[in-house]
Amino acid sequence: MDFSFHSPADIRFGRGKADLIGAETARVGRRAFIVTGRSSASTGLLERAQRSLENAGVESVVYDRITQNPLTTSVEEGARLLKESGCDCILAIGGGSPLDAAKGIAVLAGQGGEIDDYIFKRFQGIPAAVPIIAVPTTCGTGSESNGTAVLSNPVTLDKKSLSYPTLVPRCSIVDPSLMETIPRRVMGQVTFDALCHSMESYFSPSANPFTEPLAMDALLYLAKYIVRANDDVHDAEAVDAVTLASTMAGAAFYVSGLQAPHGMEHPLSGMRNIPHGRGLAALTPVIYEHSISGDPAKFAFISRALGGTDENDCARTIRQLLGRIDLEVYLSDEGFTEDDVPWLVDNCFKVSRGRVEGHVKPLDREEVRQIYLEAL
């Protein structure tokens, strides 16, 4: 038996834990660069965080220009502004986009260079990074519990990840009550993203005795509570469970890696800036229909957890679940046509080759092309 496991972030989990923002940030710095999107101001969380920082004696500067599918250009701008402001730590508030952007900003401000140095692994070694405190407001990406970030280049349309242990947040404050502001259409997308993280981590060939239980428990929490959380964002038991599952799955896939659904989705949201969860919903059942022979026993477990019978109805069971959370999607719904498929295949093998060739059932270019066509 031979494997590695990287410890996840220092997690503070529970309702009301957002009150710890100031105290936890004060442990790592005295002037915080707040990375967020515009919605944190509209929900009142940004003001709450600033008040908590002030009470803890921490000054702050706000950078609120992060959008869906965070851009490398925003990361470059944020790193420049952080250095100009004299901030010594980052407070990332929001969904996966602000948390991922914060990691990109942290490495550029801490180590320097260009963001592609880290995305395409031109930098050798482990880079320095500005310390991060993470406060997730969606229960999907799991970015609070790992050192991975996914960024989109608006020029090349490449959407690709970078991952370093120095980007694991020093502390993540995971307060499920913050999820009560998630719109229903977004809740379906983010919780399905978390489910994909748990499933892909579970059947990953790189799964090990530490990651597999995390992935399985996350999957079982989501199987039990995902519909309830989507039906009622104020169902505390359900929202607590899916929030915990998202954080657990984030820690699992940081080690085990993700598979073809994420690898094939990144070209979609890179090309058209579609919501990541909708791309996953369009692709995942089709990919699983092509993948069962890779590990029938694990696909049977997934199916039974979600209410199915065995590996043969796994994809159908996932489609039924997507219907229950209002996430029945085809790529044509998002504007894709058959003419887009050659670019999608080429880009998939450019930015995600390891995820498709290292899938539980390895996929070649022709099978990837066929999956995109079937998902239309």
Side-chain angles (χ1 to χ4, degrees), residues 71-113:
L71 301 175
T72 54
T73 48
S74 299
V75 165
E76 291 160 355
E77 178 184 54
R80 175 177 56 80
L81 293 174
L82 185 153
K83 289 189 285 188
E84 291 174 355
S85 69
C87 291
D88 57 3
C89 62
I90 295 174
L91 174 62
I93 301 175
S97 294
L99 270 60
D100 282 8
K103 294 174 184 178
I105 291 170
V107 71
L108 280 190
Q111 184 67 47

Side-chain angles (χ1 to χ4, degrees), residues 286-365:
V286 182
I287 293 172
Y288 283 12
E289 287 171 339
H290 285 252
S291 305
I292 290 169
S293 63
D295 197 330
K298 286 194 171 183
F299 280 102
F301 176 85
I302 291 170
S303 180
R304 288 193 293 269
L306 298 176
T309 303
D310 57 30
E311 68 274 18
N312 297 308
D313 66 356
C314 185
R316 183 171 68 251
T317 302
I318 291 171
R319 286 192 174 96
Q320 292 170 346
L321 172 65
L322 290 169
R324 296 178 71 188
I325 60 174
D326 294 334
L327 202 59
E328 293 177 286
V329 184
Y330 294 93
L331 295 185
S332 56
D333 299 331
E334 302 302 309
F336 291 95
T337 70
E338 190 170 334
D339 291 340
D340 295 320
V341 171
W343 186 92
L344 293 171
V345 173
D346 286 343
N347 190 255
C348 180
F349 278 84
K350 177 184 178 183
V351 302
S352 301
R353 180 182 294 272
R355 288 179 173 172
V356 293
E357 292 184 343
H359 185 56
V360 62
K361 176 188 173 294
L363 305 176
D364 60 20
R365 291 179 67 91

Side-chain angles (χ1 to χ4, degrees), residues 69-73 76 115-116 119-120 151-160 270-271:
N69 297 312
L71 301 175
T72 54
T73 48
E76 291 160 355
I115 193 62
D116 279 355
I119 292 175
F120 290 97
L151 303 173
S152 297
N153 186 313
V155 176
T156 64
L157 305 184
D158 294 341
K159 180 178 178 181
K160 190 169 173 59
M271 184 183 194

